[in-house]
Amino acid sequence: MSEKQYTYEEFLEIIAALRGENGCPWDRVQTHDSLKPCMMEEAAELLASIRIYHKTGNPENMIEELGDVLLQVVMHAQIASEEGLFTMKDVVNEVSRKMVRRHPHVFGTGNADTPDEVLVNWEEIKKEEKKDKDWVESPLKEIPKELPSLTRAVKVLKKIDKHYEKGSTFEQDTAAICELAEALKDCKQQTDKEKAESLLSALLLRISDVSRIMKIPQEQALADRIDDLIEKYE
């Protein structure tokens, strides 16, 4: 006998039941804040599942991890519904509207022949959408602090380059990296910790700017290099 095949609507009902009066003691006490670490972990596990798929050709783990990310989304929507804020239907409706608005070359009369043109249009439409939003502060402050620092650094540098002043060139960055590395060599491990930290943070920022200029996703580049290191010793 084949296993039951669940629908999206039935999945929403399952989550509502878990949060209900006779539901799961753990699920019932969760909040938006308590679930934040779960979302971070599930997102990381989804990225791992993509790596596993490329390595094995088996998508089974990716199916599971996509489901876990969806679970987090639906849990937040269910909690919000109980609080009278919004429902999952609102979430789906809003993201659908956004996709239509930001793809006028598909759903309207706009033009975009290359991926770069699509990104330019996306940013312009996004900027227009956020004009009257009271939670939007400045181009720099709208970048989430919760992002990994290497990712956040590149986003901040891009915004500075676009909205405030032109960023450094590749030549300027690489020259500064050499100077900082030389200065770091002169630090005494036990006595110059504060100076070393300042130099190291400046060095990381310069490396991030090189990543921005060369359009290299440095989080992924570093992750790949770490994997190579592990493979070397195992």
Side-chain angles (χ1 to χ4, degrees), residues 55-89:
K55 187 174 182 180
T56 66
N58 187 336
E60 184 178 346
N61 185 236
M62 198 191 304
I63 294 171
E64 178 183 350
E65 298 305 338
L66 280 167
D68 287 343
V69 171
L70 178 60
L71 167 62
Q72 293 301 309
V73 173
V74 174
M75 277 286 284
H76 280 285
Q78 177 61 34
I79 293 169
S81 176
E82 294 162 9
E83 295 170 340
L85 299 175
F86 57 83
T87 67
M88 191 64 198
K89 186 181 289 187

Side-chain angles (χ1 to χ4, degrees), residues 176-186 203:
I177 286 170
C178 292
E179 289 176 13
L180 289 162
E182 282 298 316
L184 195 58
K185 279 166 52 178
D186 295 334
L203 183 59

